[in-house]
Amino acid sequence: MRRMGDVLAGIHAAWEFESDALVIRFERGIRTPKLYQVLRERRVPYEALASVTLTPGKRNTVVLHAVPRPGADPLMEAAAGQLKESCDPYRLVLPADRETLAEYYRDELRALLPPEPGAAGAAGHGGSAPYDGLDALDGPDRDGVLDVPGDPYGGVAPAERFLVAPPSGPLSFKAYDGKASFDGSAEVTFRWFWTGASSEKWKAGDQTFSVRDLCGIEWRSPDVFDGHLRLLSRDGGPRPSQPDHDPASVVFGLGYGLVHESLPFAAAVLAAIRASDRAPVPVGSRTPGAVAERIRHLGELHRAGLVTDEEFSTKKAELLAEL
């Protein structure tokens, strides 16, 4: 970077380049997407990025896109590719006359990232082409530009833990059939509305879920059919296929569970689940049965990809040593 503190201002957002992280600050104007207004600011360590691309945008603009590593950002993990381009917090839209400046920052950012396999001679790495399409799949994108097929992550390995902090809020929102609340660390609560909740949910009653009993979340955007937020239980037991019949789900629709409300909530819950998975196992009874149960739970985390091979082996050895 030219120097720490450089700022590149775009439409609805600005990127500030620190020595170890990209700080994205969002405008709060009336035309700014509501998700941006909720996020306000995000600090993204450079190690959380997989690649950086520059592509033509709509209406005489260019788009600088920082692609996060899979598993690095709880917001993007919860979104699971469902965000519209206009709401992607990693896209910075700039007037086309700032293309040269955008190219400079693209190349400077790329220099801070792990080298992409086979990147020698590619655009932005010694080549002369001003744009590339590494962030897209085959076919034209929404800007009408033919994208080049390739791996959007440049072969970068998934992050073993979240490197970007989850959004700070909101920690409650109204769905169509109930209100979802999260205390920020330990419990999620669903309280049903008589005007929207199904009979199955009324029979089950209001629900409180311990984060330690959850293994993940399923967020389906309210912008599509069957939008909902479902909490996934660690016990893996049977559950209703339809979210409106599942007491572990709240249903979106008719202006409820909007993206800027439900997605940050889902990301915060997902981050708490990961933190709970990585927390030290409390030392209780040291009977063989108790140790065996802890090893079984550790094995579940390992199979789910939430604990690395090294962490699994180390912790298992510690538990066996308690016998």
Side-chain angles (χ1 to χ4, degrees):
M1 291 295 159
R2 292 175 180 173
R3 59 185 180 279
M4 187 175 70
D6 272 9
V7 176
L8 181 61
I11 300 172
H12 303 317
W15 288 6
E16 180 174 347
F17 304 91
E18 296 187 347
S19 59
D20 61 345
L22 171 66
V23 178
I24 306 174
R25 294 189 173 90
F26 302 100
E27 294 179 355
R28 302 192 66 186
I30 191 171
R31 296 181 181 276
T32 304
K34 289 185 178 180
L35 179 60
Y36 288 6
Q37 297 184 45
V38 169
L39 296 178
R40 297 189 181 183
E41 179 178 308
R42 310 209 78 207
R43 190 175 190 278
V44 183
Y46 296 129
E47 64 177 320
L49 298 177
S51 64
V52 185
T53 64
L54 183 64
T55 56
K58 298 177 180 178
R59 293 184 291 274
N60 200 32
T61 62
V62 293
V63 179
L64 195 58
H65 186 202
V67 181
R69 289 172 61 186
D73 184 347
L75 183 79
M76 304 307 286
E77 291 298 297
Q82 299 175 74
L83 279 179
K84 295 180 178 179
E85 284 187 348
S86 59
C87 291
D88 185 340
Y90 286 89
R91 296 174 80 250
L92 183 66
V93 181
L94 300 155
D97 60 9
R98 306 193 73 190
E99 175 186 337
T100 301
L101 185 62
E103 286 179 344
Y104 170 81
Y105 281 107
R106 176 201 62 187
D107 294 342
E108 289 292 300
L109 275 173
R110 281 179 170 176
L112 299 171
L113 308 183
E116 299 172 6
H125 294 269
S128 59
Y131 299 113
D132 59 51
L134 296 178
D135 62 337
L137 303 175
D138 294 328
D141 65 14
R142 291 191 180 113
D143 294 330
V145 179
L146 186 63
D147 295 316
V148 179
D151 177 4
Y153 304 110
V156 176
E160 295 184 357
R161 59 183 177 85
F162 288 139
L163 301 172
V164 182
S168 58
L171 295 183
S172 67
F173 69 92
K174 289 184 179 180
Y176 175 71
D177 55 357
K179 181 179 181 180
S181 302
F182 178 42
D183 66 2
S185 61
E187 289 187 342
V188 181
T189 302
F190 293 162
R191 300 193 182 281
W192 309 122
F193 297 152
W194 68 269
T195 52
S198 64
S199 58
E200 290 84 356
K201 291 183 177 180
W202 273 114
K203 290 177 182 178
D206 293 341
Q207 301 289 301
T208 298
F209 303 88
S210 171
V211 165
R212 283 192 171 274
D213 294 334
L214 303 176
C215 65
I217 59 96
E218 178 184 275
W219 181 81
R220 185 169 176 84
S221 173
D223 293 335
V224 299
F225 176 74
D226 193 31
H228 62 267
L229 171 64
R230 191 195 302 262
L231 303 178
L232 305 180
S233 175
R234 201 175 291 281
D235 61 21
R239 65 186 185 192
S241 59
Q242 298 180 350
D244 60 334
H245 295 167
D246 184 0
S249 302
V250 288
V251 176
F252 306 152
L254 300 178
Y256 293 95
L258 300 175
V259 171
H260 67 279
E261 298 174 342
S262 61
L263 180 57
F265 180 99
V269 174
L270 181 59
I273 292 171
R274 291 285 179 88
S276 174
D277 289 336
R278 293 183 174 275
V281 177
V283 177
S285 172
R286 299 197 179 192
T287 64
V291 172
E293 175 61 22
R294 292 181 201 147
I295 293 176
R296 182 193 66 78
H297 177 66
L298 184 66
E300 291 177 352
L301 298 180
H302 181 246
R303 288 191 293 274
L306 301 174
V307 173
T308 65
D309 292 343
E310 182 180 355
E311 290 172 333
F312 174 77
S313 299
T314 301
K315 190 60 185 179
K316 181 178 179 181
E318 292 175 359
L319 291 171
L320 290 174
E322 293 182 15
L323 293 176

